[in-house]
Amino acid sequence: MAREFEIQVNGKASRVHAEPDTPLLYILRNDLQLNGPKYGCGLAQCGACAVLANGKPVRACMVPLEAVGKTEITTLEGLGSPQNPNPVQAAFVKHNAAQCGYCINGMIIAVTGLLNTNPNPSDDDIKQALRHHLCRCGTHMEILAAAREAADMMAGASPLSSPLGEKVAEGRMRGSPSGVENRDFHD
Amino acid sequence: MTSPRDTKKAEWLSKSEGLFVLRDPQAAAPDAELFLVIEPSGITAFCGHVDLGTGIRTALAQIVAEELDVPFDTVTMVLGSTDAVPDQGPTIASETIQISAIPLRQSAATARHYLLNKLAVERGLKPEELAVEDGIIRPTNGENWSVTYGDLVAGEKCLLALDPQARVKPVSEYRLVGQSVPRNDIAAKTSGQWAYVHDVRLPGMLHARLVRPPYAGWDFGDHYGTSLIEVKRQSIADIEGIVDVVIIGDFIGIVAEREEQAIKAADRLEVVWREPQVRPDLNTPEEALRNNPSEERKLGEKGDIERGLEGAAQTFEATYVWPYQMHGSIGPSCAVADYQDGKLTVWSGTQNPHWLRRDIAQLMKMPEHDIAVERLEAAGCYGRNGADDVSGDAALLARVVGRPVRVQLTREQEHQWEPKGAAQVIDVKGGLDAEGGLAAYQFDTCYPSNGAPLLANLLTGRVPAIPITFDMGDRTAIPPYSFPNMKVAVHDMPQLARAAWLRGVSAMPNTFAHECFIDELAAAAGVDPVEYRLRYLTDPRAVDLVREVAEKSGWVEHSLPGSMGSEGDIAYGRGFAYAVYVHGKFPGTAAAWAAWATEVAVNKKTGEIGIMRVVAGQDSGLMINPDGVRHQIHGNVVQSISRTLKESVEFSPTAVTSKDWGTYPILQFPELPTIETLLIPRPDEPPLGVGESASVPSAAAICNAVYDAIGIRFRELPLTPERVLAALNEREPEEETRPTEPKPAKRKSLIAGLSGLGLGALAAGGLALLSPIKPAIPTIARPDSGVFSAQTIEQGRLVAAAGACNVCHVGSDGTAFGGGRIFETPFGNIVASNISPDPENGIGNWSYPAFERAMRKGISRDGHHLYPAHPYTSFAGASDADLQALYAYMMSGQAVAKPVAKTELAFPFNQRWLMSAWNAMFAKSETFTPVAAKSAEWNRGAYLVETLGHCSACHSPRNALQAELDGAQHLAGGYADGWEAPALTTASMSPAGWDADALYAYLRYGHSPHHGPAGGPMAEVVESFTALPDSDIRAMATYLAEGRETAVEARAADALEASMAARDSALVTAPRGARIFEGACASCHGENSDLTSLALNSNLHSASPNNVLQAILNGHEAPAILAAKTGREGASLMAMPAFGKLYDDKQIGELTAYLRARFAPEKPAWENVGEVLQDLRR
Ligand code: FES
Ligand code: FES
């Protein structure tokens, strides 16, 4: 039975009337008109719908409205605006870290969430935090470069001078299947 | 509300001032091709192509701004709306920059010359005496004045014909084109401000979901459009907000006020379809393609191929097989349509607005000019995905309901129905002369077509669903090497699965064959593969590119595999490939030249391939936006690695079964290689398309590198671990690495075998002794709640909580104690009764003695026997005070005036009197007596567990007659409502074991860090327990923990370690299950999750897969619903999705095999998964 809920989104209390099992994603998009979180799979697989819940990333497509309770929800819109972006958003803009941009909500939420709990992540930490965020356009290199810069900025290190993307891509990020040690091909 | 509409052409042209550049200024508005408008307020340019997320919007604006010499940000691009832009065909094949940008540049040049000429005449100067910089026009003669284009067009209106001869700027004067102008959409996209088609919202808009037929993924065949037998609308009658269920042929759309209502209804709507047609196996598509009728189309011939092959010193033959693949857009397609007064507007993410308009006109039987397709960005599509289909669906629904309708495809529908990238089979024959030189090359490629008519046209029967042949298999079919004798042919054939163009269409598979084969020839000739290519490449730009890429990669010449050596189980290798992507009608147009040098690592133990490094080089001619080009290369490299290593659509005989990212996985961040791009600067050459080229050499380069690593040629994709491992094993049969598995314990069947003996015992033993008939106890008027003290009622509330009465007796609509829940038992289905104080339907007219008798003896007020699903054997031990309080509580609740269905069991179980015999054999009737030697807490715990809590009802095994077993079997594990209720004794399978703290956490919060969350019925029990004081929870924990484990932490750590160590062996045991786990489960259950590892979950270690399968089939409620009061957060806010409809038995079996091997590595594989699965699915 639909009923009234009060949830905390982007620092404001909002009242919505819906079935208790309604996924938070639809409440955010349809009732609160927040377009940041996107529907990608509805199965907690892709990350397109991610939001922060008390600062930690969760997948809004699998959060039932009745589970939200007093948890503070922050969406992409709550992080910043084009005029006043948060450091992660600013780094994404700087690195042109979007092609279609459909996945970018999840990427920015995941990186912001990571930096909330681990202000000094290694490149591997970043990749692991993004492991279950899918991007089909293959914007991975730019996303990693942006995440690295955001982390460095927040850690207070002076941001590396551009072109950071290529630098990171060449110097730091490399695949390693199980059992494969990173080998340096540049020696 | 977001309802973006581009200003219509007619509105533009009716403006009273401005300069308008058109193809033909005489043409009337709907047909006029408007390219450019210069107004005092700014410059607007129009292109019939759309931005697919590649940043083409930015590049086109750069081109216009360059030609006019105005600042980049003064140009606004309008892309794609049929009412505004010219029809330039679909946005495919990297044509935008090469073809569609030409009229834009010419329009800008036309406008520039016209305006400068006009100004020159006015000022008495020659046009050459005017210079434009940053939008400011100044004389070069030193006079001190300036004007802008805006000044020149102010106050008058001029329609100008596009002059194809207008002189364009020489490249040497470019200052904006060739610069990495930042994209103009990213700030909005990173802050939720960009409106995608998914974000369109109109006043009064409704939401729709579709129910598709069972022949998922095909567009032809028997009974297409006529398979629907029945739609049972009643099945969704209880869902609020349903506006309509629209049925046309095999098209079903459900329209609702709210999105979640449409989702629920689409999930629940019962539909009866005809059995779908059985199709040829497309999982390994070679045979199906060979059997598909085809027509040979010769593409190239040189010399005499027969003679060439005959006369060759050595000849070679190989077949290359490319699988069906998906576009795999991250956002399933979405569209919004609005039909008012005979006019239709569709907001769509289509690649081809004008084509789509034609299709929709056909679908709706409407004239095209009454339809506007507003094109908005969607998720990147890399070809044609479901964007068109969903637009047709939205149009149909909007007209029926007369309100705007938004249709969102589900992930599953996008996966199943998007027109796939076609499979291909390529046969190559080649010959070498005595010196190892190229002598002959015969290339035959089969390509099942890709027309993919609009789905709604097929499902509604507007367009016949028949096989149609197209001719797109010829791209890059001509090899780049000079063979003296050559024959190249494509075998055009109709579609097998529904297909449409996908990035690098046919060129990527064709190049896979060319570039792997040339590598094979080089190896046979004993020549380094790069050197060999260079010998036979004739195109100088190709030669430059190949050399530079090889050099940048640090290429080491070699003619035998093993050039990078190996370490332990890991072998390394390097590979090379080159291609130019040729698109358009054969012989086509070349896009950018591309080459790859790559380095891979192959794990010989697991078959996994890691791409370590890719050097991707490209000659793109003039680069409009070099950063844009680089990003396109990155995107192509990542996507094509994914396609090469992982991607292959899976089919059942009747449908596509890859329905999510678990069953169609794509590359993830940790799998990324180092990518180095090499851009050859060619500013004087025409710009070339860069959207696809870098994908084309990928598969061949990777396969060639794998050959260098392990000396095995792979000619079929994808390179999954199992394919690689199988090839390795075939070559060097190694000892069986898997541990031999002990015989698995038989699953205790849900439906315990009812022995004749048991029944006999009942009939003979029972009947003789007892009179089955019990007297009824007279009814009373429902007691007034005022007769009970508030304190008694409160005590009763706690008793009800401890007994979790409402878990079983909850009303079917969720009201407390309303009854109606159905329990499957070996005797049949038992319906829980209404125990609310309603006199008619509940127990409102029961006296306390009647209530007590029912509780303790299992006899209903009217004298009939209750089945032991009602745990009166436990309640018998409850104290009088507790039962009285419970009575008071029950009587003072809300009456539910709703009857429940009758329990109907088959004979003999419908003979309730038999229960008296049962009772004589199994029921006890002592009340609980405390054990003096034990603490008060222990005794309290024992009382709660053994009487009110009736834990044994689920957690003790039962005999054939459903009586709980006693003694050592007490609480040793049973079944409840289709779930295994694990042992609460030392027989527990929990790897960490249970101590009092763990039990407390579990019973209090529904979760213990060393065990995981309560699931199934237990979750509801814990929810009921939230009413109990901490002391009671503690007491139960204390009682249950007696004689149980210590060292929970250490045992948990061991279990986690064992699971980590089992990663590789589990992957080898169940590679496909491993992929499903990584794609579908690991986002919550993976190594980085804050959820308890599955390695600690008793269910993974149980003798039966029952609970694991239950969780997979039905999902799991968000633990936080329970924890709302306990303040849990993070992943526990999330529910687990149900996979029962998404996955078939095979997929669930594979996943389950992996889960067991990975998380309970010391336990034998479950062998009865299929059996249990079928039980549970029933
Ligand atoms: S939409 Fe929620 S994770 Fe994909
Ligand atoms: S940018 Fe398109 S999916 Fe990531």
Side-chain angles (χ1 to χ4, degrees):
Chain A
M1 278 279 267
R3 55 177 217 262
E4 200 65 19
F5 288 88
E6 186 178 289
I7 54 173
Q8 312 295 321
V9 180
N10 296 335
K12 283 203 309 258
S14 297
R15 300 194 73 78
V16 293
H17 187 85
E19 297 270 344
D21 60 353
T22 304
L24 177 63
L25 175 63
Y26 304 113
I27 300 291
L28 296 174
R29 290 182 53 82
N30 298 336
D31 295 282
L32 306 186
Q33 313 231 336
L34 294 167
N35 289 335
K38 294 271 182 273
Y39 169 73
C41 65
L43 297 163
Q45 297 179 356
C46 73
C49 65
V51 298
L52 295 174
N54 289 349
K56 288 193 193 156
V58 294
R59 291 164 183 223
C61 67
M62 289 312 300
V63 175
L65 176 55
E66 66 178 317
V68 176
K70 299 206 173 347
T71 311
E72 293 276 350
I73 303 295
T74 308
T75 70
L76 190 61
E77 289 88 342
L79 296 181
S81 62
Q83 296 70 35
N84 188 17
N86 89 344
V88 181
Q89 289 169 313
F92 271 66
V93 173
K94 176 169 170 193
H95 289 278
N96 275 326
Q99 288 188 40
C100 76
Y102 201 86
C103 67
I104 291 305
N105 169 67
M107 303 294 174
I108 292 177
I109 293 287
V111 172
T112 305
L114 171 70
L115 297 179
N116 281 344
T117 51
N118 177 2
N120 221 333
S122 67
D123 293 336
D124 199 52
D125 293 338
I126 294 173
K127 285 187 191 174
Q128 288 300 336
L130 294 174
R131 177 165 173 177
H132 298 290
H133 285 264
L134 303 178
C135 172
R136 185 56 161 168
C137 293
T139 314
H140 300 64
M141 290 297 158
E142 290 72 25
I143 293 170
L144 287 176
R148 182 73 264 159
E149 171 149 336
D152 291 348
M153 261 157 58
M154 286 172 70
S158 62
L160 300 176
S161 57
S162 63
L164 183 95
E166 197 70 356
K167 180 90 198 74
V168 170
E170 288 179 16
R172 300 188 189 175
M173 306 293 179
R174 52 170 59 105
S176 68
S178 135
V180 178
E181 293 300 309
N182 279 345
R183 283 165 46 117
D184 196 345
F185 292 99
H186 299 277
D187 51 15
Chain B
M1 294 293 128
T2 316
S3 53
R5 264 173 200 271
D6 288 323
T7 308
K8 293 181 192 263
K9 234 178 283 181
E11 284 167 47
W12 280 108
L13 293 173
S14 66
K15 292 194 179 203
S16 57
E17 67 177 355
L19 178 75
F20 301 82
V21 185
L22 300 111
R23 174 96 62 202
D24 172 10
Q26 309 308 323
D31 302 317
E33 290 183 80
L34 176 64
F35 289 102
L36 185 72
V37 177
I38 302 180
E39 297 173 281
S41 54
I43 298 165
T44 310
F46 303 83
C47 178
H49 276 197
V50 302
D51 197 326
L52 303 176
T54 55
I56 213 77
R57 184 183 294 277
T58 302
L60 291 171
Q62 276 180 276
I63 289 172
V64 173
E66 179 70 70
E67 211 52 51
L68 288 166
D69 275 316
V70 297
F72 167 73
D73 55 12
T74 58
V75 177
T76 305
M77 286 304 309
V78 176
L79 301 179
S81 168
T82 52
D83 271 354
V85 306
D87 181 358
Q88 294 181 293
T91 308
I92 50 166
S94 307
E95 284 174 356
T96 307
I97 291 299
Q98 272 174 277
I99 298 170
S100 304
I102 293 170
L104 272 185
R105 172 178 288 127
Q106 290 168 344
S107 299
T110 304
R112 177 190 175 114
H113 292 305
Y114 170 80
L115 290 173
L116 292 188
N117 275 327
K118 186 173 155 224
L119 179 63
V121 171
E122 279 170 21
R123 298 278 178 161
L125 296 168
K126 291 191 194 123
E128 306 84 75
E129 292 173 303
L130 294 170
V132 194
E133 204 184 324
D134 244 9
I136 314 286
I137 310 169
R138 289 198 179 81
T140 51
N141 61 7
E143 284 175 32
N144 189 17
W145 55 266
S146 68
V147 294
T148 65
Y149 289 119
D151 299 334
L152 296 178
V153 301
E156 44 183 290
K157 178 175 182 178
C158 173
L159 301 186
L160 211 56
L162 181 155
D163 175 7
Q165 307 306 327
R167 199 174 54 79
V168 294
K169 268 173 86 170
V171 174
S172 55
E173 289 174 22
Y174 279 1
R175 29 135 229 134
L176 192 56
V177 164
Q179 300 305 308
S180 292
V181 175
R183 277 175 54 170
N184 49 16
D185 53 346
I186 300 202
K189 285 179 174 175
T190 51
S191 54
Q193 309 298 317
W194 185 262
Y196 292 85
V197 66
H198 302 71
D199 305 324
V200 171
R201 266 180 220 108
L202 305 180
M205 186 176 83
L206 298 168
H207 291 270
R209 286 291 191 281
L210 309 166
V211 177
R212 296 288 200 209
Y215 43 84
W218 271 276
D219 55 5
F220 67 99
D222 297 343
H223 304 297
Y224 207 103
T226 56
S227 286
L228 180 59
I229 296 172
E230 191 195 352
V231 174
K232 299 184 178 166
R233 290 175 194 253
Q234 205 45 40
S235 57
I236 55 166
D238 62 317
I239 299 178
E240 281 174 63
I242 304 301
V243 174
D244 206 347
V245 178
V246 178
I247 303 165
I248 312 169
D250 282 354
F251 173 88
I252 305 176
I254 301 176
V255 187
E257 295 287 345
R258 292 181 58 89
E259 191 166 10
E260 66 273 14
Q261 294 163 340
I263 294 171
K264 206 175 267 181
D267 184 50
R268 293 236 307 260
L269 186 72
E270 287 172 27
V271 183
V272 185
W273 301 96
R274 255 177 216 276
E275 278 300 309
Q277 180 182 342
V278 170
R279 318 269 179 166
D281 180 13
L282 298 179
N283 294 299
T284 45
E286 181 175 353
E287 190 181 322
L289 262 74
R290 290 207 192 280
N291 293 339
N292 201 21
S294 68
E295 219 167 284
E296 180 181 289
R297 181 158 54 94
K298 250 185 239 161
L299 299 172
E301 228 172 352
K302 198 173 147 197
D304 184 330
I305 184 67
E306 310 281 319
R307 288 244 196 98
L309 284 170
E310 261 165 41
Q314 297 182 72
T315 57
F316 305 87
E317 276 187 46
T319 293
Y320 297 89
V321 181
W322 192 275
Y324 276 97
Q325 295 184 325
M326 283 188 202
H327 299 80
S329 298
I330 291 301
S333 299
C334 178
V336 176
D338 189 17
Y339 182 92
Q340 301 295 338
D341 309 323
K343 306 262 192 230
L344 175 71
T345 308
V346 183
W347 286 263
S348 170
T350 179
Q351 276 191 299
N352 28 260
H354 286 87
W355 285 19
L356 175 63
R357 185 167 67 166
R358 251 161 263 159
D359 286 344
I360 292 182
Q362 183 177 28
L363 174 71
M364 307 284 285
K365 301 190 187 160
M366 284 175 69
E368 270 187 55
H369 58 248
D370 284 341
I371 302 172
V373 175
E374 296 288 338
R375 202 280 167 177
L376 270 80
E377 278 190 38
C381 61
Y382 335 101
R384 209 175 124 217
N385 63 358
D388 289 8
D389 294 331
V390 77
S391 307
D393 301 333
L396 278 179
L397 295 173
R399 184 163 65 182
V400 174
V401 300
R403 280 167 67 183
V405 178
R406 175 182 184 273
V407 187
Q408 168 73 66
L409 298 185
T410 61
R411 166 50 53 206
E412 177 181 349
Q413 287 166 342
E414 183 76 36
H415 259 59
Q416 286 195 295
W417 288 92
E418 66 140 273
K420 308 292 178 293
Q424 251 170 284
V425 171
I426 301 141
D427 291 320
V428 191
K429 282 186 194 163
L432 295 182
D433 60 26
E435 286 77 50
L438 296 182
Y441 192 71
Q442 181 174 339
F443 184 89
D444 288 276
T445 182
C446 296
Y447 182 75
S449 297
N450 57 6
L454 190 75
L455 204 51
N457 268 326
L458 300 176
L459 296 179
T460 59
R462 283 288 292 148
V463 167
I466 47 172
I468 308 173
T469 302
F470 281 81
D471 56 356
M472 267 205 198
D474 51 29
R475 297 189 167 184
T476 314
I478 307 290
Y481 307 105
S482 66
F483 292 90
N485 303 293
M486 180 184 84
K487 181 179 161 234
V488 174
V490 58
H491 300 259
D492 296 323
M493 53 174 65
Q495 75 271 32
L496 287 165
R498 184 170 194 246
W501 50 77
L502 167 61
R503 213 176 212 175
V505 54
S506 77
M508 201 166 147
N510 286 339
T511 295
F512 170 51
H514 288 314
E515 286 293 296
C516 283
F517 198 78
I518 196 82
D519 230 65
E520 298 199 31
L521 293 181
V527 180
D528 172 70
V530 170
E531 164 61 23
Y532 200 70
R533 283 176 172 83
L534 285 168
R535 284 186 198 171
Y536 300 99
L537 276 174
T538 50
D539 174 351
R541 282 170 76 173
V543 170
D544 282 357
L545 179 66
V546 167
R547 273 193 213 290
E548 291 209 30
V549 168
E551 189 182 318
K552 181 168 170 106
S553 77
W555 188 260
V556 173
E557 287 200 11
H558 61 280
S559 56
L560 287 173
S563 81
M564 291 180 70
S566 63
E567 294 166 1
D569 288 327
I570 312 297
Y572 299 93
R574 54 168 61 87
F576 196 92
Y578 155 80
V580 57
Y581 177 45
V582 179
H583 56 88
K585 188 120 194 104
F586 191 80
T589 317
W593 282 251
W596 274 48
T598 186
E599 289 163 354
V600 306
V602 183
N603 183 329
K604 290 190 281 183
K605 210 168 95 215
T606 62
E608 288 169 287
I609 294 176
I611 310 295
M612 311 290 288
R613 177 179 179 226
V614 175
V615 178
Q618 197 159 293
D619 174 350
S620 322
L622 165 69
M623 288 177 281
I624 311 285
N625 185 331
D627 263 0
V629 173
R630 192 173 291 115
H631 293 181
Q632 280 305 301
I633 294 177
H634 286 165
N636 274 284
V637 167
V638 171
Q639 194 181 72
S640 60
I641 289 175
S642 182
R643 289 174 68 182
T644 302
L645 295 187
K646 303 191 145 199
E647 298 182 26
S648 167
V649 177
E650 290 178 7
F651 299 85
S652 75
T654 57
V656 169
T657 55
S658 298
K659 300 188 200 172
D660 69 345
W661 300 118
T663 46
Y664 192 84
I666 60 174
L667 204 76
Q668 296 171 314
F669 274 92
E671 299 170 297
L672 284 184
T674 301
I675 302 175
E676 297 161 51
T677 54
L678 181 149
L679 305 177
I680 307 243
R682 301 252 187 223
D684 301 327
E685 299 289 347
L688 297 168
V690 297
E692 307 175 73
S693 297
S695 282
V696 179
S698 56
I702 292 170
C703 288
N704 293 338
V706 170
Y707 170 73
D708 186 35
I710 56 174
I712 296 176
R713 295 281 182 195
F714 287 92
R715 302 186 185 93
E716 181 162 0
L717 297 183
L719 298 180
T720 54
E722 62 269 29
R723 171 165 278 142
V724 174
L725 204 55
L728 283 162
N729 287 340
E730 200 175 305
R731 187 183 57 184
E732 36 190 312
E734 275 165 337
E735 264 176 43
E736 186 65 57
T737 47
R738 263 193 270 172
T740 46
E741 285 149 3
K743 189 133 183 59
K746 258 278 190 233
R747 168 180 177 257
K748 187 165 26 165
S749 172
L750 244 182
I751 314 293
L754 280 170
S755 66
L757 180 70
L759 275 178
L762 262 190
L767 270 182
L769 292 172
L770 286 161
S771 158
I773 311 300
K774 296 291 172 192
I777 296 179
T779 58
I780 58 163
R782 177 181 167 185
D784 185 89
S785 59
V787 306
F788 308 112
S789 74
Q791 212 182 346
T792 309
I793 294 174
E794 172 58 14
Q795 187 189 340
R797 187 177 73 88
L798 298 184
V799 172
C805 308
N806 194 42
V807 168
C808 294
H809 288 280
V810 65
S812 35
D813 56 357
T815 42
F817 307 120
R821 189 165 171 178
I822 296 169
F823 292 87
E824 250 188 73
T825 76
F827 307 130
N829 291 347
I830 292 179
V831 186
S833 54
N834 179 334
I835 56 165
S836 79
D838 185 63
E840 287 281 298
N841 307 290
I843 60 169
N845 59 5
W846 290 29
S847 62
Y848 177 71
F851 178 78
E852 188 187 7
R853 184 175 70 171
M855 289 298 289
R856 293 198 196 275
K857 302 216 158 68
I859 297 163
S860 181
R861 186 202 59 75
D862 63 7
H864 81 256
H865 282 277
L866 300 170
Y867 290 102
H870 172 58
Y872 53 89
T873 52
S874 298
F875 295 153
S879 73
D880 289 338
D882 276 347
L883 285 188
Q884 283 156 10
L886 180 61
Y887 179 73
Y889 171 68
M890 298 306 301
M891 286 300 160
S892 23
Q894 200 64 44
V896 180
K898 226 166 123 187
V900 298
K902 267 197 143 55
T903 292
E904 291 192 26
L905 305 183
F907 183 84
F909 308 116
N910 56 356
Q911 305 300 301
R912 283 186 182 258
W913 53 268
L914 277 174
M915 288 315 302
S916 61
W918 191 97
N919 287 340
M921 290 165 69
F922 305 119
K924 313 169 279 272
S925 58
E926 330 78 78
T927 43
F928 175 80
T929 23
V931 179
K934 299 286 186 183
S935 69
E937 184 176 63
W938 185 96
N939 275 307
R940 174 69 182 160
Y943 173 70
L944 288 169
V945 165
E946 302 297 354
T947 70
L948 299 179
H950 64 280
C951 304
S952 61
C954 299
H955 290 275
S956 287
R958 290 176 184 251
N959 67 15
L961 292 171
Q962 290 302 294
E964 291 166 20
L965 297 183
D966 240 324
Q969 295 293 328
H970 182 62
L971 298 179
Y975 274 88
D977 205 17
W979 288 75
E980 185 190 7
L984 304 183
T985 62
T986 45
S988 161
M989 289 293 188
S990 161
W994 293 89
D995 58 13
D997 284 344
L999 285 159
Y1000 170 79
Y1002 192 81
L1003 295 174
R1004 178 83 289 179
Y1005 305 121
H1007 177 270
S1008 145
H1010 295 121
H1011 302 86
M1018 191 62 202
E1020 300 168 56
V1021 171
V1022 175
E1023 184 159 18
S1024 183
F1025 284 176
T1026 49
L1028 299 182
D1030 246 18
S1031 55
D1032 277 353
I1033 304 287
R1034 267 284 163 220
M1036 286 193 273
T1038 302
Y1039 171 68
L1040 286 170
E1042 187 177 54
R1044 298 289 300 273
E1045 298 81 0
T1046 49
V1048 165
E1049 295 270 343
R1051 290 175 54 176
D1054 289 350
L1056 288 174
E1057 201 172 306
S1059 148
M1060 290 305 287
R1063 184 201 167 277
D1064 283 3
S1065 58
L1067 173 64
V1068 173
T1069 303
R1072 296 160 54 85
R1075 280 202 288 284
I1076 296 177
F1077 178 79
E1078 179 63 25
C1081 316
S1083 68
C1084 297
H1085 294 290
E1087 287 146 35
N1088 309 311
S1089 170
D1090 49 2
L1091 295 183
T1092 299
S1093 168
L1094 293 176
L1096 299 180
N1097 190 309
S1098 307
N1099 297 315
L1100 273 305
H1101 297 262
S1102 166
S1104 163
N1106 193 85
N1107 288 4
V1108 170
L1109 292 171
Q1110 280 280 26
I1112 294 172
L1113 289 174
N1114 302 313
H1116 199 302
E1117 212 175 55
I1121 292 179
L1122 183 56
K1125 299 139 193 144
T1126 63
R1128 269 222 310 289
E1129 52 179 39
S1132 56
L1133 287 178
M1134 291 161 60
M1136 169 173 159
F1139 292 93
K1141 286 193 188 165
L1142 203 64
Y1143 292 167
D1144 62 20
D1145 288 4
K1146 181 165 160 274
Q1147 291 164 330
I1148 292 182
E1150 290 161 351
L1151 173 59
T1152 311
Y1154 177 74
L1155 293 172
R1156 178 73 156 184
R1158 174 75 203 270
F1159 296 110
E1162 77 291 358
K1163 295 276 162 57
W1166 285 310
E1167 284 198 352
N1168 55 345
V1169 170
E1171 218 175 286
V1172 182
L1173 194 51
Q1174 284 193 348
D1175 261 2
L1176 294 176
R1177 278 214 196 259
R1178 257 188 305 106

